Amino acid sequence: MAADPRAIFSVSGPDLPTDKIEVGKGTFTIGRVAGNNLALNNQKVSRHHADINWETDHFTIEDLESSNGTLLNDARLEPRKPTALKIGDVIRMGPFALTLVSVDEGKDAPSTPVQVLSPEPSTPQVQAPPPVGAPSGEDAAPYVSEPPVDPHAAKTAQPEPTVPPEKAKDVKVKDVKPKAAEKAADVALTIPPTRKPATNGHRREEVPYTPLEGVPLDMSRYMQFLPGVYSDSDFLKRYLLIQESILAPLEWGVDSFEQFYNPEITTPDWLQWIASWFDVYIHPSVPMERQRAVVRELGLVHRSRGTRRCMVRLLEAYFGVTPELTEQEDPPSSFTIKLPLPKKEQTTLNRALAERLIETLKPGYTSFTLDMG
């Protein structure tokens, strides 16, 4: 019974749970959302980016009209056009790379091995025939040929002189330079030194070119927005690549701009900046979980500033403990807030932060007393 074909890909990129995937006979989907067989959580990857399929005797890759395109060996694929894959091909989608390592076509013949991307095999050693008169058959020991020995060299070779331990201190070791090193030194002296290019006093360094992830190398995707008369212009294809490499990061920033306002994934400086819109100060020393909790409650601050509910909720998010608010009759329009912080958190900084937060959230005509015991 024939086995199903399968292919092994090595995967590289940020935040990946595995470095290898196996693709079978069915359609293997790749995209940003969780419903794909391979979910790549990055804004440069479309929701449904590409498919890998088995067709008769080979695997194919098909781009599903993705925003940033799919590159096969640094060449942009035409959307909705399956392209055959061979071992060693590299598929790029944003910052991710999939390399086809091996293919098993699933045939019945056991002699057909799995094709694996591996280095060239080494040349086998040729075994010399056994000497005449040597035993043969099952009892014969394997014969290993040895290099010929020069009889004259054996006669002239003399053992190295040994020095008794008591005279070892008096022996001076001569600095003997190996012959190979002597030859190398002689050759180095005969080679004239090369003159370095003039730099006019400035240091020149060659910076290797690194392609921008998500931008093709052969043709700009802006060509699809131009009339067909320009499609054959190689100069225009390369020229628009310059514009695309400049504008692509701006496009990615605009496409994912809503993530900057998401308190679950945005950066600390954005959390503190968004809170300042509502006159809520977040100190950088506040733990990250509490900073995100404060930003999540800013909608409540906007709707119900000056109420007991708003003040208690925000203090709880800021310090991680539930405060107790008690209204006082003497003096009028006053209240007491008890903030049960642990001993190590009852610092001058936390008191100043709590007083500032209460002053911002309380009604303007009231006064308060803060108890952190």
Side-chain angles (χ1 to χ4, degrees), residues 112-143:
T112 304
V114 176
Q115 303 177 20
V116 179
L117 187 63
S118 59
E120 294 293 332
S122 57
T123 304
Q125 299 181 353
V126 179
Q127 206 175 52
V132 180
S136 59
E138 298 181 355
D139 299 334
Y143 174 75

Side-chain angles (χ1 to χ4, degrees), residues 149-355:
V149 180
D150 187 3
H152 300 287
K155 292 180 180 179
T156 57
Q158 297 180 0
E160 297 181 0
T162 57
V163 182
E166 60 272 8
K167 296 183 179 181
K169 298 181 180 179
D170 302 332
V171 177
K172 296 183 178 180
V173 180
K174 295 182 180 181
D175 185 13
V176 181
K177 184 180 294 186
K179 292 183 179 181
E182 291 180 357
K183 293 181 179 180
D186 295 339
V187 173
L189 293 175
T190 59
I191 299 177
T194 57
R195 178 175 296 179
K196 296 182 179 180
T199 59
N200 297 328
H202 300 282
R203 186 177 180 183
R204 299 173 60 183
E205 295 182 357
E206 293 186 1
V207 180
Y209 171 70
T210 304
L212 189 63
E213 296 178 351
V215 177
L217 300 178
D218 55 343
M219 181 183 68
S220 173
R221 60 188 177 93
Y222 294 166
M223 293 293 296
Q224 60 182 320
F225 303 110
L226 298 180
V229 68
Y230 299 106
S231 60
D232 296 332
S233 175
D234 293 334
F235 168 76
L236 193 58
K237 294 176 182 179
R238 297 192 302 271
Y239 179 75
L240 290 180
L241 275 177
I242 302 176
Q243 312 300 322
E244 185 174 357
S245 63
I246 298 173
L247 298 177
L250 301 178
E251 295 178 5
W252 300 335
V254 172
D255 291 342
S256 60
F257 198 70
E258 73 279 358
Q259 298 186 10
F260 289 98
Y261 298 98
N262 188 343
E264 305 300 334
I265 59 177
T266 192
T267 56
D269 53 342
W270 275 76
L271 289 172
Q272 299 158 20
W273 183 52
I274 293 173
S276 66
W277 300 350
F278 300 85
D279 197 20
V280 175
Y281 174 71
I282 298 180
H283 195 270
S285 63
V286 177
M288 187 57 57
E289 312 84 51
R290 298 183 190 175
Q291 293 190 32
R292 301 189 187 281
V294 170
V295 175
R296 283 195 294 267
E297 299 294 341
L298 291 179
L300 176 65
V301 173
H302 178 70
R303 296 191 304 269
S304 56
R305 182 187 294 268
T307 63
R308 172 198 290 263
R309 177 169 173 260
C310 174
M311 193 180 308
V312 170
R313 286 276 296 276
L314 206 60
L315 284 171
E316 183 178 1
Y318 204 106
F319 294 98
V321 295
T322 303
E324 299 178 7
L325 191 150
T326 305
E327 297 184 11
Q328 305 292 337
E329 296 182 358
D330 188 21
S333 301
S334 64
F335 59 91
T336 300
I337 290 185
K338 183 177 181 180
L339 200 60
L341 291 177
K343 187 75 173 178
K344 61 180 180 180
E345 296 186 15
Q346 296 179 13
T347 61
T348 305
L349 174 62
N350 282 341
R351 174 174 285 275
L353 293 174
E355 290 177 349

Side-chain angles (χ1 to χ4, degrees), residues 13-201:
D15 302 327
L16 286 174
T18 181
D19 58 351
K20 285 188 179 181
I21 59 171
E22 180 175 334
V23 178
K25 188 175 182 180
T27 300
F28 189 89
T29 59
I30 306 173
R32 190 174 72 243
V33 295
N36 293 281
N37 296 111
L38 178 60
L40 304 176
N41 188 14
N42 191 280
Q43 286 299 318
K44 299 177 185 177
V45 180
S46 300
R47 296 169 58 87
H48 301 284
H49 199 104
D51 286 346
I52 299 177
N53 294 281
W54 170 258
E55 294 186 4
T56 310
D57 58 352
H58 62 273
F59 283 93
T60 62
I61 178 70
E62 179 181 358
D63 181 80
L64 304 179
E65 299 180 353
S66 58
S67 300
N68 295 318
T70 304
L71 303 182
L72 178 61
N73 299 328
D74 294 331
R76 191 184 182 95
L77 294 178
E78 184 177 344
R80 298 292 179 180
K81 182 179 179 181
T83 304
L85 294 174
K86 61 181 182 298
I87 294 178
D89 283 349
V90 180
I91 305 169
R92 298 189 182 276
M93 303 175 189
F96 303 96
L98 286 74
T99 304
L100 181 56
V101 178
S102 66
V103 174
D104 184 1
E105 298 181 0
K107 296 181 179 180
D108 292 333
S111 59
T112 304
V114 176
Q115 303 177 20
V116 179
L117 187 63
S118 59
E120 294 293 332
S122 57
T123 304
Q125 299 181 353
V126 179
Q127 206 175 52
V132 180
S136 59
E138 298 181 355
D139 299 334
Y143 174 75
V144 180
S145 62
E146 298 181 356
V149 180
D150 187 3
H152 300 287
K155 292 180 180 179
T156 57
Q158 297 180 0
E160 297 181 0
T162 57
V163 182
E166 60 272 8
K167 296 183 179 181
K169 298 181 180 179
D170 302 332
V171 177
K172 296 183 178 180
V173 180
K174 295 182 180 181
D175 185 13
V176 181
K177 184 180 294 186
K179 292 183 179 181
E182 291 180 357
K183 293 181 179 180
D186 295 339
V187 173
L189 293 175
T190 59
I191 299 177
T194 57
R195 178 175 296 179
K196 296 182 179 180
T199 59
N200 297 328

